[in-house]
Amino acid sequence: MGLSVPQRCLLLLLRAVGFVIGLLGLAARALDANYRAPRAAPPPAQPLLLLSGLRLARDIRRGKVKSIDVIEAYIARIKDVNPMINAIVKYRFEAAREEAIAVDKQLAEGHEDEATLEKEWPFLGVPLTVKEAFEVVGMPNSSGLVNRRNLVSQTDATVVANLKRAGAIPLGVTNCSELCMWYESSNNVYGRSNNPYNVQCIVGGSSGGEGSALGAACSVIGVGSDIGGSIRMPAFFNGVFGHKPTSGVVPNKGQFPRPVGAQEKYQSTGPMCRYAEDLVPVLKVMAGPGVHKLKLDHEVQMKNLKFYWMEHDGGSFLTSPVDRELLQAQRKVVEHLENVVGASVQHVKLGKMKYSYQLWMAMMSAKHPDGTEALTFRKLLRDHGNPVWPLWELVKWCVRMSSLTIPSIGLCLFEKVSFDSETFTRLENLRKSFRAELIELLGNDGVFLYPPHPRLAPKHHFPLSRPFNFSYTAVFNALDLPVTQCPLGLSKEGLPLGIQVVASPFNDHLTLAVALHLEDVFGGWVSPGKT
């Protein structure tokens, strides 16, 4: 059930390339004075930057603060911090100012009472950032692809339109990995994003710029998408909350690349927020008419939930061992649930978890029930044109002539070494049986606690030497389960800790309730730059 011989050989080649690039990166950092010591973004000093989206909306409605003052506070923070982290790649400041002034004028006229304002515009006047892969009128929509760098969106993605109608004001769009298919957000259009807790570390991908902007207090609520952990890894690495909803509820329309074939079923658009209390209301707005399926208004009692936990994937040779501090953080959660909450907590060993990457690959290569095949990465890199030749691109990259990044070229190479039909059938059957096993275990009152990644936020380039570490998040896309990523404070070196909270389909309300509880107990987001 493992990788084929050609896939193993290619894996070794990719790791060797990653190791060499990592050494070059270390050498460059040694020569660069800016990298001689870790640097974190300074903590925010303006009090408005330390309020949740819900709190800001309430204060704006009640006239305690003006929307323009909130927007100006965030613009000033972005100007101060973004040059260091390169998270927001295109600003929308003038339009945001005009919209904030219009909000303040609307409120001054006093035509609506507070209850009406809260119902119709729950995020009236609140700043928002959006992953660049989503359409935002007047903003680029390249997804880091050089041949789309001049494309400007003429419409809004459905979720962006929903949030605008709810009163949210976009400040700009945030960086992502090339074509949203890698877990370091770096591309040849916008460059590389840096972690606000240590600029030598990655922000994750593909919604990495969004995670970085939120972690650095350059934004308070945001939009991400997730087909292999693209919400949850950036949320983890940058110390914020992120939710991958049950698929098929929140609209995916209006993003590039558009998921095709079976990928459409397993891609999820969801909220990324600095504060847990914003997750449910932002998700309600994003989801629109189908939101009732997620049972977000159901009350949840922690002591009545059944908790299951597992500390690693069972020892897959593809992934790194789980960092000791992550295991300690998970155990603190387990001990709290057992000793303080008094909930049922059970350690489990799920043997199929060691095939996480293979299950995800089977999902990505599957046909849609209507027979539509998944669009290959090689075609997407040409924006649906003729497929790239990865070996030729690799040669060009070595002499700095390729417009593609090395992760994209590597993914193209690996894509060409596909599963044969017999192996695919075995993996697909395994995926279905594993999903049924977990759903039966969790039922409608159980959640599963699992590490978000084997390591704390790695240094830049490290993912090339461990390309399959993302399987810790990707497995739950393959199983089509809702997951909330929750921060759990900082490590000894000042990097975010965290945990994934998983439930069975359409039980998103359980994971989101646990997120609120964990924020209350463990503190949630911690400002970077604090000593």
Side-chain angles (χ1 to χ4, degrees):
M1 198 64 74
L3 300 178
S4 65
V5 172
Q7 286 174 322
R8 286 173 183 260
C9 292
L10 185 54
L11 170 60
L12 291 173
L13 174 62
L14 291 176
R15 283 185 174 174
V17 171
F19 180 73
V20 171
I21 292 174
L23 288 178
L24 292 174
L26 287 172
R29 286 197 291 270
L31 296 172
D32 186 347
N34 291 329
Y35 280 96
R36 287 177 186 168
R39 292 194 308 157
Q46 163 61 261
L48 288 174
L49 300 175
L50 300 176
L51 300 178
S52 69
L54 279 186
R55 173 69 184 275
L56 286 171
R58 186 182 68 191
D59 287 355
I60 291 169
R61 286 194 302 268
R62 294 179 178 179
K64 292 183 177 181
V65 64
K66 292 184 179 297
S67 176
I68 186 62
D69 292 335
V70 175
I71 294 301
E72 290 292 0
Y74 272 93
I75 289 174
R77 175 67 176 175
I78 291 168
K79 288 181 176 179
D80 183 36
V81 174
N82 199 54
M84 176 187 292
I85 60 174
N86 190 35
I88 302 174
V89 293
K90 184 70 175 179
Y91 299 153
R92 193 180 172 274
F93 291 164
E94 290 309 312
R97 288 182 172 114
E98 292 175 4
E99 289 162 16
I101 291 170
V103 166
D104 293 333
K105 182 179 179 182
Q106 174 190 350
L107 294 172
E109 292 171 351
H111 296 311
E112 300 91 2
D113 59 25
E114 185 179 347
T116 300
L117 289 169
E118 184 175 7
K119 180 181 179 181
E120 298 295 327
W121 301 283
F123 288 99
L124 188 63
V126 176
L128 162 76
T129 44
V130 180
K131 181 180 183 179
E132 197 260 16
F134 288 86
E135 294 175 338
V136 180
V137 170
M139 293 284 102
N141 180 223
S142 69
S143 288
L145 199 58
V146 169
N147 62 4
R148 286 175 62 94
R149 69 189 315 161
N150 296 320
L151 189 150
V152 176
S153 298
Q154 304 302 311
T155 57
D156 288 322
T158 302
V159 293
V160 174
N162 289 348
L163 285 162
K164 281 185 174 181
R165 281 193 292 269
I169 299 176
L171 293 173
V173 292
T174 54
N175 205 15
C176 57
S177 55
E178 189 172 42
L179 277 185
C180 302
M181 285 297 288
W182 187 238
Y183 72 95
E184 177 162 14
S185 289
S186 179
N187 56 68
N188 290 329
V189 179
Y190 304 116
R192 185 183 71 200
S193 294
N194 299 318
N195 193 300
Y197 294 87
N198 183 339
V199 295
Q200 296 184 16
C201 296
I202 71 171
V203 297
S206 59
S207 310
E210 194 61 43
S212 179
L214 289 161
C218 292
S219 182
V220 65
I221 58 175
V223 175
S225 56
D226 192 314
I227 199 169
S230 290
I231 286 174
R232 289 160 289 147
M233 279 185 290
F236 165 51
F237 293 145
N238 297 280
V240 299
F241 293 89
H243 182 68
K244 182 195 87 68
T246 300
S247 64
V249 177
V250 180
N252 287 322
K253 185 178 179 182
Q255 58 182 298
F256 180 84
R258 180 175 64 87
V260 176
Q263 297 171 9
E264 189 171 8
K265 173 177 172 56
Y266 297 105
Q267 174 144 318
S268 295
T269 295
M272 299 176 68
C273 304
R274 207 165 357 124
Y275 299 99
E277 70 173 352
D278 289 332
L279 287 169
V280 167
V282 173
L283 181 56
K284 285 181 176 180
V285 171
M286 292 173 70
V291 70
H292 65 278
K293 298 177 183 178
L294 303 181
K295 302 182 283 190
L296 299 181
D297 291 324
H298 287 208
E299 186 177 350
V300 179
Q301 296 291 334
M302 288 295 109
K303 65 180 180 180
N304 295 332
L305 291 181
K306 297 175 182 176
F307 291 89
Y308 304 90
W309 64 284
M310 185 171 170
E311 61 272 80
H312 54 72
D313 64 4
S316 169
F317 79 96
L318 294 172
T319 59
S320 302
V322 177
D323 187 277
R324 182 173 54 86
E325 288 190 83
L326 278 174
L327 296 175
Q328 290 173 343
Q330 184 185 44
R331 291 192 182 102
K332 286 181 181 178
V333 173
V334 169
E335 290 169 3
H336 168 78
L337 294 170
E338 286 181 327
N339 301 329
V340 179
V341 176
S344 168
V345 185
Q346 180 181 343
H347 179 258
V348 294
K349 291 185 178 180
L350 306 173
K352 298 182 180 71
M353 196 67 85
K354 66 182 177 181
Y355 301 115
S356 293
Y357 171 74
Q358 293 93 323
L359 299 180
W360 182 80
M361 276 298 295
M363 173 208 83
M364 289 292 288
S365 57
K367 291 183 178 181
H368 192 274
D370 66 6
T372 305
E373 292 189 1
L375 195 61
T376 66
F377 193 61
R378 291 181 296 131
K379 284 187 177 180
L380 283 172
L381 285 170
R382 287 286 184 260
D383 195 5
H384 299 82
N386 294 325
V388 302
W389 294 5
L391 288 175
W392 176 234
E393 290 295 332
L394 182 60
V395 171
K396 289 165 61 180
W397 182 87
C398 291
V399 293
R400 295 188 169 188
M401 293 182 63
S402 177
S403 66
L404 306 179
T405 61
I406 193 64
S408 293
I409 297 169
L411 286 168
C412 284
L413 288 167
F414 205 79
E415 183 180 56
K416 289 178 71 67
V417 187
S418 58
F419 297 115
D420 58 49
S421 59
E422 183 179 347
T423 302
F424 172 80
T425 300
R426 289 202 307 270
L427 287 171
E428 181 64 7
N429 290 337
L430 182 68
R431 186 185 67 82
K432 290 178 179 177
S433 67
F434 190 19
R435 183 173 189 267
E437 177 185 341
L438 257 179
I439 291 174
E440 182 179 2
L441 175 72
L442 298 176
N444 291 317
D445 61 354
V447 295
F448 177 58
L449 306 175
Y450 193 64
H453 200 77
R455 297 174 61 103
L456 306 181
K459 296 291 179 67
H460 294 298
H461 309 300
F462 177 84
L464 288 166
S465 66
R466 283 291 182 178
F468 304 119
N469 277 353
F470 80 100
S471 63
Y472 270 70
T473 49
V475 64
F476 300 113
N477 295 85
L479 301 176
D480 191 20
L481 302 178
V483 191
T484 305
Q485 172 59 39
C486 307
L488 294 174
L490 303 181
S491 71
K492 293 177 181 178
E493 294 185 354
L495 293 173
L497 302 166
I499 196 166
Q500 291 186 95
V501 183
V502 187
S504 56
F506 303 106
N507 283 296
D508 300 53
H509 65 301
L510 301 183
T511 69
L512 293 163
V514 172
L516 271 170
H517 181 79
L518 293 181
E519 180 183 49
D520 184 55
V521 175
F522 294 94
W525 171 77
V526 178
S527 173
K530 285 191 174 181
T531 57

